[in-house]
Amino acid sequence: MSGTLYVTANMHYHEILGVLASLLEWTHEDDINIVLMGDQMRKKFDKYYGDFGKTNVMVLVAVALDPRYKIRFVKFSLRKIYPLDFKKVEELYAKVFEVLNELYYHYSNVSLMGKNDGSSSFNTNDNDGQNFDGVVKNKQMRKIYDEFYENEVEKSELKEDHDAPPEKMNNETFDILKWWRDKCTTYKLLASMAKDILVAKCAC
């Protein structure tokens, strides 16, 4: 799949899944010729796509970052592909989940580095409260404080997105980049991840 005016990274997996769904349907046809043809095509399918453990995991991560499907669809669809292999489903799902979390952790660290390079947001001129002037001026402690408050806000993005219901497909012209751009303030890190992983410009 390719496109110059729209994003395709998040739809590649759906195309693969659509082919498999058709092949599975053909196995129940009354016409023996269609059944045999489907069987031969399934062998070729399995050769190239049957083992998702060998597939670029970012294909599935792109699906997880699509608000219409999220990571829950990844597990749901893997169960369709491997209906009798529960262990494989869990292993592949765990791999996608791990990569998604590692990416989030990386983007969080990059964000923290940017925050820590700036000046502290603590107000040391308020004499009505406790005097933390000496502590706040300590560079290491300032980093700890910044990291604490930053993490308290940002660590919930993955969980919040996971718990939110998928966006309904009201039409076929869903603009995934615009959706993430509109959610930049709610999902600051995830929006940045989506922009990079979907390989397109999304000014956030």
Side-chain angles (χ1 to χ4, degrees), residues 49-86:
Y49 297 108
D51 187 357
F52 274 93
K54 299 177 181 178
T55 301
N56 189 337
V57 70
M58 297 307 293
V59 170
L60 296 173
V61 170
V63 176
L65 288 173
D66 191 321
R68 295 168 294 179
Y69 306 103
K70 302 179 181 289
I71 196 170
R72 296 195 294 274
F73 181 79
V74 173
K75 175 177 280 190
F76 176 82
S77 59
L78 287 173
R79 287 172 177 167
K80 296 290 185 181
I81 298 174
Y82 307 108
L84 302 178
D85 197 340
F86 301 108

Side-chain angles (χ1 to χ4, degrees), residues 64-149:
L65 288 173
D66 191 321
R68 295 168 294 179
Y69 306 103
K70 302 179 181 289
I71 196 170
R72 296 195 294 274
F73 181 79
V74 173
K75 175 177 280 190
F76 176 82
S77 59
L78 287 173
R79 287 172 177 167
K80 296 290 185 181
I81 298 174
Y82 307 108
L84 302 178
D85 197 340
F86 301 108
K87 182 179 179 181
K88 192 175 190 67
V89 170
E90 292 300 326
E91 287 177 348
L92 291 174
Y93 175 79
K95 183 177 181 180
V96 177
F97 189 80
E98 180 183 6
V99 171
L100 192 61
N101 276 275
E102 287 179 350
L103 283 167
Y104 184 82
Y105 179 75
H106 170 74
Y107 276 76
S108 179
N109 281 341
V110 171
S111 176
L112 286 173
M113 289 175 62
K115 291 289 185 180
N116 289 333
D117 287 340
S119 59
S120 172
S121 59
F122 290 100
N123 182 0
T124 60
N125 297 319
D126 187 355
N127 294 324
D128 294 332
Q130 293 176 306
N131 185 6
F132 284 96
D133 187 70
V135 177
V136 173
K137 285 183 178 179
N138 182 295
K139 184 181 294 185
Q140 285 71 33
M141 286 304 299
R142 188 165 67 241
K143 289 181 178 180
I144 291 175
Y145 292 138
D146 288 343
E147 183 175 355
F148 168 73
Y149 288 113

Side-chain angles (χ1 to χ4, degrees), residues 20-77:
L20 177 60
S22 296
L23 294 178
L24 291 175
E25 184 177 347
W26 289 357
T27 61
H28 302 293
E29 288 287 337
D30 295 330
D31 190 332
I32 187 62
N33 292 317
I34 294 179
V35 174
L36 293 174
M37 181 176 64
D39 182 63
Q40 291 298 315
M41 293 180 68
R42 177 61 190 269
K43 291 178 181 178
K44 290 185 178 180
F45 177 92
D46 289 341
K47 178 181 179 181
Y48 294 102
Y49 297 108
D51 187 357
F52 274 93
K54 299 177 181 178
T55 301
N56 189 337
V57 70
M58 297 307 293
V59 170
L60 296 173
V61 170
V63 176
L65 288 173
D66 191 321
R68 295 168 294 179
Y69 306 103
K70 302 179 181 289
I71 196 170
R72 296 195 294 274
F73 181 79
V74 173
K75 175 177 280 190
F76 176 82
S77 59

